[in-house]
Amino acid sequence: MRTSNKNEDLKILENKLNYTFRNKSFLKNSLTHSSYANEKNLGIINSNERLEFLGDAILNLIVSQYLYKKYPNHSEGELTKIRAKVVCESSLAYVAREIGVGDYLLLGKGEESTGGRNRESILADTTEAIIGAVYMDSDFKETNKQLLDRFEDNIVKAVEKGELFSDYKTELQEKYQRSPNSKIEYHIFKEEGPEHNKIFYMNVFLNENLLGSGKGRNKKEAEQMAAKSALFLLGKNNE
C-alpha cells in the first residue's frame, strides 16, 4: 500500500487516472484529508475540502449536461433520479476503489486506525476533490472528457439497465411522502466487528411499524439496505 504523496507514487496514480497534472500540487492537495491537515498543523484550507466543493459542482454540471443532451425525451424528474444514482456517495466511492485512490490518501492517525482508507464517505469526497483538481489544472473541456471517460458507463447502467446505486431511501420516502402522518425512521439494532471494520444492522420503521432490515459497512449503507428490504417486502405484499 502506498501512503505518501511522493512524485513516483503520484505518477502511478496519474496513469490510473489517465491524466498527467501540470501542477502536481493540485493532485497532492486533492489527496490530503482534513484529519492529516489538522494533525500536521497545515490548516483546514490546505485539506482537500475546497477542491471537493468545486468538484461536486463540476460533476453535477457535467452529468446534468450529458443527460440533457443524451436523453431528450426524459422528464426533469427522470433526469434528476438518474443523476442522483450516478453522483451518489456509493457510486463515487466505487470509482475511487477502481482507481485505488485509498492507497494514496494522506490521513491523520485517527482516521488511519479506524479504516478511513476504505470509508465510503472519504473515498467519495476524494473523488470529487480529484475532479476539482483536474479542473483547476486544465479547463472545463478536459475535465468533461475525463469525467465522461470515467462515468459514462455508469450513466448507461443507470438509464438503460436500471442498475447502479439505487437510492432506496428516497424511493421509500417518496412512497409515503404524500401522507402527512407518515414518519419513516431508521434505528441501529446491532453492531458487529472491530472498530475499524464494523458491520451495522439497521431497522426501518413506518410510524413505529417495522418495514424492513438491512446491514452495511457504515450507517448510510445499512439504511439503504433496510430501505431496499422494505421496498421488496412491500412489493411482495402488494402482489
Side-chain angles (χ1 to χ4, degrees):
M1 179 179 289
R2 301 173 184 88
T3 57
S4 79
N5 273 344
K6 293 178 181 177
N7 285 337
E8 57 265 33
D9 289 338
L10 294 182
K11 284 180 183 177
I12 298 170
L13 178 56
E14 285 177 323
N15 287 337
K16 293 179 179 180
L17 292 169
N18 197 28
Y19 179 80
T20 300
F21 281 81
R22 299 170 183 86
N23 186 341
K24 305 296 182 189
S25 65
F26 287 126
L27 179 57
K28 292 178 180 180
N29 191 204
S30 73
L31 299 167
T32 304
H33 190 257
S34 57
S35 62
Y36 183 89
N38 286 331
E39 191 174 281
K40 300 296 182 180
N41 295 316
L42 302 176
I44 195 66
I45 203 167
N46 290 308
S47 75
N48 63 6
E49 290 184 352
R50 282 167 51 84
L51 285 174
E52 175 199 335
F53 163 80
L54 181 61
D56 173 63
I58 293 165
L59 175 64
N60 275 279
L61 174 59
I62 288 175
V63 172
S64 297
Q65 179 179 267
Y66 177 89
L67 292 173
Y68 181 85
K69 292 180 177 179
K70 181 77 173 178
Y71 303 102
N73 297 319
H74 282 58
S75 69
E76 178 269 341
E78 290 172 320
L79 294 176
T80 298
K81 287 182 179 179
I82 295 165
R83 183 183 63 193
K85 288 183 178 182
V86 175
V87 305
C88 73
E89 184 173 275
S90 296
S91 175
L92 295 175
Y94 177 80
V95 169
R97 289 190 179 106
E98 276 193 319
I99 302 167
V101 165
D103 289 353
Y104 303 89
L105 281 171
L106 291 180
L107 297 173
K109 291 178 182 176
E111 286 293 350
E112 183 76 72
S113 65
T114 56
R117 289 190 185 279
N118 196 42
R119 185 165 297 135
E120 200 102 330
S121 59
I122 290 178
L123 291 175
D125 291 347
T126 306
T127 298
E128 291 178 335
I130 291 172
I131 292 167
V134 171
Y135 175 77
M136 289 301 297
D137 191 64
S138 57
D139 53 29
F140 185 80
K141 182 178 179 181
E142 178 63 27
T143 309
N144 187 80
K145 177 185 178 300
Q146 292 294 323
L147 272 181
L148 292 183
D149 284 348
R150 189 69 59 183
F151 283 90
E152 190 167 19
D153 185 51
N154 285 2
I155 293 171
V156 171
K157 285 180 180 177
V159 178
E160 298 176 9
K161 300 179 182 178
E163 296 175 357
L164 206 58
F165 305 95
S166 295
D167 187 353
Y168 300 112
K169 282 184 68 178
T170 299
E171 192 176 338
L172 185 63
Q173 188 69 40
E174 287 176 348
K175 231 173 166 39
Y176 293 102
Q177 66 183 5
R178 291 175 186 167
S179 176
N181 298 319
S182 295
K183 184 179 180 182
I184 294 177
E185 294 183 312
Y186 294 85
H187 296 292
I188 295 171
F189 66 89
K190 187 171 66 171
E191 297 179 19
E192 286 182 345
E195 197 63 38
H196 67 280
N197 192 28
K198 275 186 177 294
I199 298 293
F200 295 89
Y201 293 80
M202 190 78 66
N203 285 331
V204 56
F205 297 87
L206 173 65
N207 298 335
E208 300 184 357
N209 296 311
L210 181 64
L211 289 181
S213 301
K215 65 179 181 178
R217 290 168 294 177
N218 54 57
K219 292 175 184 177
K220 287 186 178 181
E221 184 179 348
E223 287 174 348
Q224 287 286 352
M225 292 303 98
K228 180 179 181 180
S229 167
L231 289 166
F232 175 76
L233 292 172
L234 287 166
K236 294 288 285 184
N237 291 337
N238 290 333
E239 288 180 357

